[in-house]
Amino acid sequence: MERNAVKPQSLEMITKLIGFDTVSRNSNLELIHYVRDYLAGHGIASHLVANEDQTKANLFATVGPDVEGGIVLSGHTDVVPVDGQPWDTDPFTVVQKDGRLYGRGTCDMKAFSAVALAMVPDMLKKGLKRPIHFALSYDEEIGCFGAPSMIDRLVTDIARPSAVIVGEPTSMRPIVAHKGIAALRTTVIGHEAHSSQVQRGVSAVMTAARLITFIDGMMAENKAAADPECRFEPPYTTLHVGVVHGGTAVNIISRECTFTWDIRTLPGDNWRRYLDRFQEYADSLLPAMQAVAPEARIRTEILADAPPLQDRGGAAQHLVFGLCGHAHAGVAPYAAEAGQFQERGFSVVLCGPGSIDQAHQPNEYIDIAQVAACEDFMEKLTDQLAGA
């Protein structure tokens, strides 16, 4: 039976974490320092892993004994922007209404970390025999950039855990696989001329259009060949161009055009094979371009690369299935940090409160019943580790 009330300590922690504007373009240090000080107040030491310019940091900390077999609770601290979205309330102030908590990050994914942090006094009181490790990252939303340096430290600095739970919004159902993502930026350099003299110019915009059509064609091939038994929706690797910038005026042949695109791979697929095909096609366009303008070129940069999570069974799934009471294993079309943990040899599963349908939306919210379900989950986890 669902509870429709949230514990005061959970609500207080959710409210506090939402109050920090940790949109990815900003520093997350204020939130990280708050968590560090909160844990220190309970006698728990935190370890910070900063980025190169010291403007952001991951945090990991251990509650309980320094022994193997513990559980990592992983969550990212950054959120997506609210710019241009029609919010009815202040995105960084929690508003409780109609059985929901509204605010940026309530769903994706500060509520999970907040409920776990609010449970720290109970964890200490019950006396864990196996530890709970907190792992809070930065820059997940822009490419999963922060977690790898923290995962490196977890490998060397803590007793080997038996499982990692990444608290992305899954409606408290276990997700055992997710797609990977590669983000890329392609820049086409052409040659400017008057649009009445097309023979004297090389249009970067029109060349980019041909490249974008080629990308769409690769996805069409995947769609046509999709396995109807595949559990993912959509059941194929997708390729998508999200942003295009190019040209200066309608009567000027464009010199430059840039577009950003992503490849979201099924587990077992390799995004580099699509890049190789794309590059081969781009190279085939260059001779005609450079015959008119030797300086013409096409350059592609890799902006992000996060691996998929593969369904490998293991301790994490066994644990979470038992705690959730769910027998059905789900999969997710989005990317997360779980694949990065798995690459380093951890047993991983996604499980957290809220629905991905509300993530990144204006008036983002989480149902209070979902927060309550997460509280129940954390209580069961704590009891299990205390009785181990």
Side-chain angles (χ1 to χ4, degrees):
M1 182 176 179
E2 288 187 346
R3 288 194 291 115
N4 290 308
V6 60
K7 295 180 179 179
Q9 59 268 35
S10 294
L11 180 58
E12 180 181 357
M13 186 62 71
I14 292 171
T15 300
K16 191 68 180 180
L17 297 191
I18 298 301
F20 296 109
D21 179 357
T22 53
V23 169
S24 303
R25 62 175 175 253
N26 301 330
S27 171
N28 74 332
L29 289 181
E30 192 176 357
L31 181 152
I32 289 294
H33 291 162
Y34 168 78
V35 173
R36 179 196 60 190
D37 294 344
Y38 168 79
L39 292 173
H42 293 285
I44 300 164
S46 298
H47 307 274
L48 272 55
V49 185
N51 63 351
E52 288 186 7
D53 60 11
Q54 307 293 308
T55 58
K56 299 180 181 181
N58 303 298
L59 176 149
F60 67 95
T62 297
V63 183
D66 183 23
V67 298
E68 294 187 354
I71 306 300
V72 176
L73 301 178
S74 171
H76 62 81
T77 62
D78 61 319
V79 297
V80 296
V82 299
D83 307 47
Q85 293 187 333
W87 281 77
D88 297 330
T89 60
D90 178 358
F92 301 104
T93 299
V94 171
V95 173
Q96 184 171 344
K97 181 181 178 182
D98 299 330
R100 298 169 175 174
L101 300 178
Y102 289 85
R104 175 57 89 221
T106 49
C107 167
D108 187 17
M109 54 170 289
K110 290 180 176 179
F112 173 82
S113 299
V115 169
L117 287 167
M119 280 286 297
V120 166
D122 286 344
M123 295 174 187
L124 295 172
K125 181 179 179 180
K126 291 180 179 180
L128 300 177
K129 292 184 174 63
R130 287 187 289 149
I132 288 176
H133 308 281
F134 287 91
L136 306 182
S137 67
Y138 66 86
D139 281 359
E140 188 271 353
E141 294 288 7
I142 57 174
C144 298
F145 292 127
S149 61
M150 176 177 62
I151 295 171
D152 288 343
R153 291 284 300 277
L154 295 177
V155 169
T156 60
D157 291 10
I158 68 172
R160 186 71 178 178
S162 63
V164 176
I165 302 170
V166 179
E168 291 283 354
T170 70
S171 299
M172 293 307 300
R173 295 181 172 89
I175 297 294
V176 298
H178 67 63
K179 288 185 177 182
I181 183 172
L184 307 106
R185 178 169 57 224
T186 295
T187 301
V188 180
I189 301 298
H191 184 74
E192 288 176 320
H194 195 286
S195 65
S196 66
Q197 298 176 310
V198 293
Q199 76 282 3
R200 296 183 62 239
V202 175
S203 172
V205 167
M206 295 182 73
T207 301
R210 296 174 69 181
L211 293 166
I212 292 170
T213 299
F214 184 82
I215 291 170
D216 189 53
M218 287 193 288
M219 185 171 71
E221 292 174 7
N222 288 347
K223 182 178 180 180
D227 180 358
E229 301 299 318
C230 179
R231 293 183 292 170
F232 284 89
E233 182 61 38
Y236 48 87
T237 292
T238 61
L239 298 95
H240 166 257
V241 177
V243 180
V244 181
H245 294 293
T248 54
V250 67
N251 58 353
I252 301 174
I253 295 172
S254 53
R255 179 185 178 276
E256 183 171 342
C257 185
T258 298
F259 59 90
T260 54
W261 50 298
D262 67 26
I263 307 172
R264 294 180 179 267
T265 50
L266 290 172
D269 201 355
N270 187 340
W271 64 268
R272 289 188 179 274
R273 72 186 183 97
Y274 300 100
L275 177 59
D276 289 345
R277 287 184 60 192
F278 174 84
Q279 191 61 56
E280 183 178 358
Y281 178 67
D283 290 345
S284 75
L285 302 179
L286 283 175
M289 296 169 64
Q290 293 177 342
V292 177
E295 74 276 14
R297 64 185 185 274
I298 301 170
R299 181 180 71 254
T300 298
E301 309 162 74
I302 300 168
L303 304 179
D305 174 14
L309 174 68
Q310 304 196 42
D311 182 0
R312 294 177 179 168
Q317 290 189 28
H318 179 76
L319 170 72
V320 172
F321 274 63
L323 294 174
C324 288
H326 285 286
H328 176 68
V331 299
Y334 52 82
E337 296 166 337
Q340 295 173 322
F341 278 98
Q342 189 178 67
E343 274 198 335
R344 299 305 305 277
F346 294 97
S347 178
V348 194
V349 70
L350 296 174
C351 187
S355 169
I356 195 66
D357 293 345
Q358 276 73 59
H360 301 190
Q361 301 295 313
N363 300 316
E364 177 183 348
Y365 69 83
I366 189 169
D367 288 323
I368 288 176
Q370 280 288 298
V371 179
C374 186
E375 291 174 334
D376 292 342
F377 178 92
M378 292 297 175
E379 288 179 357
K380 292 177 183 177
L381 176 63
T382 300
D383 289 341
Q384 184 164 321
L385 296 180

